[in-house]
Amino acid sequence: MARPDAVLPVTPPPVHARGLERRYGALRALDHVDLTLARGEFLTIFGPNGAGKTTLLKVLASLVRPSAGVLSVFGLDPHAFPDQVKRRIGLIAHSGFLYGGLTARDNLLFFARLYDLPGAAARVEGMLDEVGLSDRADDPVRTFSRGMQQRLCIARALLHDPDLVLLDEPYTGLDQHASRLLRGILEQVRGRGRTVVMVTHHLEEGLGLSSRVAIMTRGRLSWESAAASLTRDALERTYLDVVGGAA
């Protein structure tokens, strides 16, 4: 038992960013972004096209280096310790990172080997079942519809049970059935205490899943709120006010 005066170790937050900037020539895609996420938080970011949402996710995933500012992911600089950080992140991006000539099963087995997952074959079969692709497991991915490829991307991103999940428009291309599947999967991820950052235009889905919501405009997080204090209509009114004011 620890002494009353003992100093207990402090667990660093999954994400801690201060003054993040990302410039592309004269364009400032990120403009002094401050963001701290606790373990188990589910943050949904809304915003118009070109607001910097995708750039922020790429920076958090260590795919893009910030031009200025400080970023730590689980207490580590993601560019100084890329392997340690990337193993704890699952990313769904506009690029699916899938190989069209490989089957769905072989795509997942390839990524399972990259992560050196124990029990890889069983884990792959479980994820294929979870996203409703078991019956197409042996078909080449190039024969899949956009929605089926997106479901496989979800399986790939969650295959290694990451601690931080980054989702860039995950509902793109999904029909109603697949959208319900995704919502159920994300509810399970949230229930396991994982930290999630999702970018979406779907106000209702984003609000329903989140513990916290934000609106991004012109490279900045212009507005934030606890999700529980909002209705869908109130969020929509706020979104229109914030985005209209930044136009």
Side-chain angles (χ1 to χ4, degrees), residues 24 32 52 55 63 94 99 136 144 152 177-178 188-189 209:
Y24 297 96
H32 291 87
T55 300
L63 297 178
H94 292 296
Y99 296 92
R136 297 293 301 272
F144 284 11
L152 188 60
H177 172 67
Q188 292 177 30
V189 169
L209 286 163

Side-chain angles (χ1 to χ4, degrees), residues 15-36:
V15 173
H16 180 71
R18 285 292 176 268
L20 280 188
E21 294 185 24
R22 176 61 193 183
R23 295 184 293 271
Y24 297 96
L27 174 65
R28 187 172 291 181
L30 296 181
D31 187 4
H32 291 87
V33 172
D34 295 337
L35 177 64
T36 299

